[in-house]
Amino acid sequence: MPAILRPRALRPGDLVVVTAPSGQLEPGEEPLLARGVAILERMGFRVQVSAMVNPARNRWWASGTPQEQADELNALLRDPEVRAIVAHTGGQATIGYLDLIDLDAIRADPKPIIGYSDISLLHMALYARTGLVGFHADIATHGFGGDWYTLGDETRRAELVDLYTRVLTRAGAPGELPAKEAWETWRSGSAQGPLFGGLLNRLILLQATPFAPATEQFEGAVLFWEELQRPVSRIWNDLHTLRLAGVLDRIVGMVVGIPTEVTPHESRGQRADLRDVVLDVLGRRDIPVLAQVDFGHTSPNLPLPIGVRAHVDADNQTLSLIEPVVAEG
């Protein structure tokens, strides 16, 4: 298994590029993009928007063909001036070019790749192959550019902007992540281990590819996941897939994000919600489960760096990053 590969810490004025590694920019999303760029600039970075982030650039449900998307990503990975890459949105296209990514460029000059949803597939695959710390975090349009960052509580917004800035620029442990509201304890206990996860259905999709993480990479890990637009029966099946793969016997903790349009099962007088199916699949495994944590298809997302050690305390409902996310430049 590859050793953890931390990106170099960003410095004020470093170039951050907003790109389209999956879905295209939809007509009418330009104001969201501009607002997202402004938040990144507020963190102290110089921001450039790539040519692929353009409503005129599209192929079916993607910003381009798999080759075009890989070409742009590889160009950014190889460009020494580019210090971080931010996805403008998620989508359904990342799986199409995993085998075209220049892994040697990542190993030579690791950079933060930031995003969630379909982008979590990219994080998990690259971590499995290179050890690169992936940043499961807000996207530019419907994340940093969404109404919450523009119209939400200024104190909370400043807190999140400061957190992102510290995570990206300081080679020290960020510590406890700030919850907006109280999280939920689904199973008590506490544990420490490297974070791994993302969108649950993308983790399952990855299992059938050469980019799937080895089962050993889950040893001692804290698995985090979120889901959207799925009935709980599908989530039950996906979690059983991880059980059969041996994943649930290796992890030491689980962190569940805020579900979006996840529907409970109701039939013949029986009801099962998300908590029910999670605990059903886990069975007697004595691991802490912390839920309703601020990440997923919601905004704002707390930054969750894949591969970085975290401490999850389900009893006190806290989640802390206990080692550096980035390396000294």
Side-chain angles (χ1 to χ4, degrees), residues 19-23 52 62-74 77 85 87 89 92-103 113 118-119 121-123 125-126 211:
T19 183
S22 189
M52 293 283 278
S63 61
T65 66
Q67 187 65 62
E68 289 171 337
Q69 291 185 310
D71 286 347
E72 177 169 277
L73 180 59
N74 286 335
L77 292 171
I85 299 166
T89 193
Q92 302 181 65
T94 302
I95 193 74
Y97 64 87
L98 290 180
D99 55 335
L100 303 176
I101 298 173
D102 186 347
L103 301 181
I113 299 175
D118 196 44
I119 311 307
L121 187 100
L122 191 61
H123 299 324
L126 297 182
F211 292 87

Side-chain angles (χ1 to χ4, degrees), residues 2 94-95 98 101 103 106 119-132 196 203 206 209-213 217 306:
T94 302
I95 193 74
L98 290 180
I101 298 173
L103 301 181
I106 291 172
I119 311 307
S120 68
L121 187 100
L122 191 61
H123 299 324
M124 291 184 283
L126 297 182
Y127 178 75
R129 281 297 189 91
T130 69
L132 178 68
F196 188 89
L203 174 55
L206 199 60
T209 77
F211 292 87
Q217 287 183 295
I306 291 179

